[in-house]
Structures are given as structure tokens and as C-alpha cells.
Amino acid sequence: MELVARQPDPAQQGAVRPDARLHPSRLARLAPGVARPAYDRAALRTGIVHLGLGAFARGHLAAVNEAALHAGGELAWGLCGVSLRQADTRDALTPQDGLYTLALRSADAQGQPRQQLAVIGCLLETLVAPEDPQAVLARIAAADTRIVSLTVTEKGYCHDPASGALNLHHPDIVHDLGQPAAPRSAVGFLAWGLQRRRAAGLGPLTLLSLDNLPANGRLLRRLVLAFAAQVDAGLADWIGQACTFPCSMVDRIVPRTTDEDRGAVAQALGLADAWPVLAEPYLEWVVEDEFAAGRPDWSVGGARFAADAAPFETLKLRMVNGAHSALAYLSVMAGWATVDQAVAQPTLRRYLAGLMRAEIAPTLPALPGLDLAHYQERLLQRYANPALKHQTGQIAMDGSQKMPQRLLATVRDRLAADQPITGLALAVAGWLHFLRGVDQAGRRYPIDDPLAGVLAARLDRAEQAARETGPGPAAASAWTARMTGLAAVFGDLGEDARFVRAVAQAAQSLRTLGVAGALEATLAAMPGTQA
Ligand code: CS2
């Protein structure tokens, strides 16, 4: 079973006639109604270096930045995008001079998919870090650079997900500490790039994390300072005093692009685009207004500047991402390939609604003016968007890095308040059960997770413990105790008997009743969710 769509194959793009390819010289050939850069692109300079040039950054940050340029913003805020691993984005976009299409997809009142296209022009340069790390460091240390932003996913921070501390044993960190001119990790690039800036007498930067991590700015600050302190205490002091690390909450569903999407976009665009980005129309960005060297006016593109992003982050991580992860593992096992297909299952939809209302919502900080019931209803509608085809297997990736902030923090709050965790326990058991790598129809799928080896070894021991215990609920308890003993993910939660008991019960339901049966059993046990 292929869990996630293949990456575009830049080689295939060679088949497109070069004169039919999206390019600044051919904008007049775009279909009418396609938005395009309306500012003087030739005059645009690079002010932002973005690490992790995946689809999310191109569908969120770049789209908002483009809106600021359209609104007449200063032409000092072009983007240099950096891919930290692969060359595929650069290979796809360089022949297009950095242009790409953003397709906002939704459905009309009859449920028919529709899309609104915009060609984005603010990406001026794409670098591939492993090919030329010096170029990346030079960009961070360039006089025009004022913001370095990041979407490197949870695992890209090289930290311990349960404690949030820099993992000094992480191979990339070990490597980067000894390689000032050729780092690999985002943290390494930032620290060594800032060292160059300081040595050159240039001003400080804003380091802006846009990843789904709690207090992402403060986390990034801690990690960069921990790295810098290993190198030079003076550097750590300078970064800590001069640079800023605003926290932000970002929200937009941006699924991976498939070849089918590429074909559909080309047809509507009038030109071929090797790597368009698809997204839902919905966008949220709450960002703390602490910029060390200025910023664009992103508010015209939908950003909100706030003194404290924390309550918005908690809301988003627990609701949007928590519910996403809860549905992803159960869906992969049940064979529901896309999110809209998953939420069309009445029991799963009822479970998610109940989980949000009964277990997640009561743990959220107060947000004046927020209608939580409306937020939850809208979220289920966003998931149901039939035009996105967001694959549940994509969300299921990297569970070890996602569980703590998406589900386990909520579990902790509820246990501290002596509240039941029936629905959350099914979500956690869903992940653990998913790690066996085989769905209900017996199809195997790979486990894509930086801790895959550790998880597989633990699973072996858990299965053995279950076999030795014999059939029945005691086996599920022994199995769950082994799995939740993984401190890097669960911290001390694995020692909480209430947690282990609730997860064991859900694991036993999954084992004996399958996903549909476990959902029914969970709904029957969650107050206020009965049909
Ligand atoms: C998803 C997120 O893949 C995932 O883990 O939960 O990418 C999600 O789509 C975004 O955070 C929505 O803002």
C-alpha cells in the first residue's frame, strides 16, 4: 500500500515543451482570472531566508508575503528558499524562475470541486543546502537579510520531543558542532550563520519558527542558544540579547501535490507548472510582534499580530492537529485513504466531534471572542473538503514527534483535573496499534518516523510480553505498559496507571473489535456522544 503520493518527478517535467512552461516571460499566456505578481518583481530584493521549502511554506508564508507585496509593501521582502535535504523543489522551480502556482481548492454548494489559481512571485532564489551550505550561510549573513523563517517539521529541530531540550547526541548536531562551514541541521545553519553576521558587524535577525510545536519561538531560541553555547559563550549572549524569536500559530491544510494535481493545474493555468501547491482557502497566522529588524505588513494577507501567541497555539495544536492525528492512525488501519473519506464515516465524525467537545475543549485557555462550537464545526467542514484529497498516511508520519504536543499534553491536563480520557486514549492506542505496520485488510505499510527503529524494537518486546501473558485484557495491559514506557515520547505519563489503563482498554478494543468496533465502544463510553 502506498501511503502518500509520490513526489513529483522533475525528470518527467522535461517532457513538457520548454515554451509551455510557467515563466515570467509567459505571464501574458496565463488563463484569465489567474492572479499574478502585480509588483515590480525585477526590483524585489531578498529580505527573508526560509529554511524548509516544502509545500506548506509555499502555501502559507509565501502566499501571505505575496499579498503584502501586492498591497504595495516595500520591495525588500523577497524570499530565498532553502531545501535542507533534496534538490527536487529547486529542480522544479528554477526553470520557472521561482514562479509557482497556488491552487486554493474547495467545493461549491453542490459539492463540486473548484479552485482559484494564483501565480506567486516572491520566491526569488532556491538553494539546496547539502549541495552548497556556504551559499546558505552567506544568505543568512547577508546585509539585506532581516528574517530567517523555518518550516522544517517537528523532527527538524533535533530535540527531545518530550523535554524540548536540544539532543546533543543527534547525529546532525554532533556533525554540525564540528562543521562551521558545512552544517546540515536548521539549528546548525542558524548558529553558524549568526556567528558570521556577528563577525561581520551586521545587525541581528528575527528567527521565525512556523512549525507545529508549542511555543515554537521559545523552543527555537532554547535550541539555538544551547548549540551556540557549545561553540562560543559570546555568540550565545549576542543571539540571546539581539535576535528575536517570535512564537506563531500557523494553520492551513496543504496536502502533497500529485501528478494528477499537476495535470489539472496545467489545464486551468494555460502553462505547465512542475510543482504547484494546493491548499484550502482557510488561513490563520497569529504571530508575536517581536521583530528585530522590521517586517512586512503581513496583516493584509491574513496574519494577526499579537502580544502572546500561546493560547492560539494551544487551541490549534490540540484541536486541528490533535484531531488530525487521532483520525489519521485509525483511518490508515481502516483503509480510509483521505481525510474527507474518513470524516464521511459517521462513527469517526461523531468520535472526532465528541473528542473535541468533551475532552479537548475543556483544557483550552480562554480566547475572548472565540466561538468554540463554531470553530469545531468549521474544522470538521475543513476536513470534509472533497477537493483536497489530503492523505491520512501523510498526517500519520512522524508520530513520535507529534504525540506530545498534539495529544499527550491534553491527556496530562485532563488527568491533573481528574477528568476521563476515554477518547484521547483511543487516539493514543490508535498510534501504537498503527505502528504494527499492517492494516485491517492485511496490507503492509512502512512506518515513516525518525524513531522507527526504537519503536520497532519496543513493539517486538511488547508483542512478546503480550504473548507471554496469554489472551485477553491482561495481554493488552502488558503490551501497552511496554509501549507507553518510551520516555522520549511519553515522559513520565507511562508511569501513570490511569493513563496506561485507559490506553490498554482502547488497545484491547482495537485488537478485538477493529477500528469501527473500537469507535463504537469508545463513543458508548464517552459522556454526551451517544447517537
Ligand atoms: C497535519 C498538519 O500533517 C500533519 O501532521 O496535521 O500538517 C496540518 O494539516 C496543518 O498543521 C494544518 O494547519
Side-chain angles (χ1 to χ4, degrees):
M1 177 184 175
E2 192 159 24
L3 269 189
V4 287
R6 278 184 307 113
Q7 295 288 324
D9 175 3
Q12 264 196 4
Q13 302 305 320
V16 174
R17 285 204 343 259
D19 68 344
R21 186 89 174 255
L22 177 61
H23 189 267
S25 63
R26 288 187 277 277
L27 292 181
R29 279 165 53 190
L30 290 175
V34 177
R36 60 204 78 185
Y39 48 89
D40 182 3
R41 191 169 184 250
L44 186 60
R45 299 190 315 280
T46 298
I48 304 171
V49 176
H50 183 79
L51 306 183
L53 190 61
F56 183 77
R58 294 202 280 136
H60 188 280
L61 165 73
V64 174
N65 196 54
E66 185 81 357
L69 291 169
H70 274 277
E74 211 190 333
L75 293 174
W77 296 111
L79 248 76
C80 164
V82 179
S83 295
L84 289 173
R85 301 264 173 268
Q86 283 154 6
D88 45 9
T89 306
R90 191 270 319 271
D91 292 346
L93 298 187
T94 301
Q96 301 176 183
D97 196 29
L99 296 183
Y100 65 91
T101 316
L102 176 62
L104 297 185
R105 290 193 167 170
S106 56
D108 65 17
Q110 282 71 46
Q112 288 306 309
R114 60 177 174 200
Q115 61 182 2
Q116 178 68 45
L117 304 184
V119 169
I120 306 291
C122 65
L123 181 64
L124 296 179
E125 184 187 25
T126 304
L127 300 175
V128 181
E131 283 180 13
D132 194 354
Q134 292 277 4
V136 179
L137 292 166
R139 265 291 173 216
I140 296 174
D144 278 350
T145 299
R146 295 196 264 164
I147 296 174
V148 179
S149 51
L150 293 85
T151 47
V152 295
T153 80
E154 296 86 346
K155 64 175 174 258
Y157 287 74
C158 304
H159 69 306
D160 172 35
S163 72
L166 182 66
N167 179 0
L168 287 167
H169 305 292
H170 191 292
D172 287 352
I173 298 298
V174 173
H175 171 272
D176 288 3
L177 282 168
Q179 294 282 342
R184 287 181 191 148
S185 69
V187 170
F189 273 109
L190 290 176
W192 291 124
L194 288 167
Q195 190 204 39
R196 288 186 186 207
R197 267 193 100 77
R198 180 170 173 246
L202 291 168
L205 296 179
T206 301
L207 292 315
L208 180 59
S209 166
L210 303 177
D211 280 297
N212 286 318
L213 287 159
N216 49 15
R218 272 183 285 287
L219 171 73
L220 180 64
R221 181 174 194 275
R222 232 176 17 249
L223 302 177
V224 173
L225 292 185
F227 185 102
Q230 299 283 317
V231 176
D232 167 0
L235 174 65
D237 285 348
W238 179 75
I239 297 174
Q241 278 157 25
C243 295
T244 57
F245 296 77
C247 292
S248 69
M249 175 276 261
V250 291
D251 194 4
R252 174 169 261 182
I253 296 172
V254 184
R256 216 166 254 183
T257 309
T258 64
D259 285 338
E260 195 185 333
D261 298 323
R262 208 165 294 110
V265 166
Q267 215 170 23
L269 192 68
L271 289 168
D273 180 348
W275 208 333
V277 175
L278 326 163
E280 61 174 341
Y282 183 95
L283 179 139
E284 275 276 10
W285 187 7
V286 178
V287 53
E288 293 174 353
D289 203 356
E290 285 165 20
F291 287 75
R295 59 160 171 82
D297 183 10
W298 286 322
S299 61
V300 292
R304 284 189 280 161
F305 292 97
D308 181 12
F312 300 93
E313 283 180 342
T314 307
L315 168 75
K316 195 268 173 167
L317 283 169
R318 293 188 181 190
M319 282 285 188
V320 181
N321 298 114
H324 241 176
S325 289
L327 84 79
Y329 300 110
L330 297 172
S331 298
V332 169
M333 290 187 289
W336 304 323
T338 61
V339 176
D340 62 309
Q341 194 186 344
V343 296
Q345 315 293 324
T347 25
L348 185 71
R349 194 176 173 116
R350 231 159 22 89
Y351 161 69
L352 291 177
L355 180 71
M356 291 194 267
R357 190 183 62 247
E359 298 191 9
I360 301 175
T363 72
L364 297 175
L367 269 169
L370 177 78
D371 178 346
L372 252 187
H374 174 73
Y375 183 88
Q376 290 161 48
E377 192 42 47
R378 177 128 187 233
L379 182 52
L380 288 170
Q381 284 166 11
R382 290 169 63 198
Y383 289 164
N385 186 338
L388 289 178
K389 307 246 177 298
H390 192 192
Q391 295 182 57
T392 52
Q394 183 184 347
I395 304 164
M397 281 169 57
D398 297 343
S400 69
Q401 314 295 299
K402 294 175 173 174
M403 282 289 138
Q405 61 277 10
R406 292 182 176 207
L407 292 161
L408 302 178
T410 317
V411 166
R412 279 174 204 281
D413 284 357
R414 288 192 61 82
L415 290 177
D418 233 352
Q419 300 289 328
I421 55 163
T422 318
L424 291 157
L426 178 65
V428 175
W431 176 53
L432 297 177
H433 210 63
F434 158 91
L435 292 172
R436 296 170 320 135
V438 52
D439 74 8
Q440 290 185 164
R443 288 173 296 204
R444 301 205 68 81
Y445 51 81
I447 303 301
D448 202 334
D449 193 299
L451 293 190
V454 174
L455 294 168
R458 197 161 269 274
L459 189 66
D460 272 351
R461 291 204 298 280
E463 296 287 348
Q464 196 186 337
R467 274 195 304 277
E468 284 166 8
T469 315
S477 296
W479 186 87
T480 305
R482 290 293 154 100
M483 295 304 289
T484 54
L486 179 62
V489 175
F490 293 99
D492 58 4
L493 259 184
E495 289 153 32
D496 190 315
R498 295 168 299 171
F499 174 66
V500 180
R501 202 171 334 120
V503 176
Q505 201 170 352
Q508 172 70 359
S509 293
L510 283 169
R511 210 170 259 260
T512 54
L513 308 172
V515 171
L519 281 168
E520 293 285 4
T522 304
L523 281 168
M526 282 169 80
T529 54
Q530 288 74 20

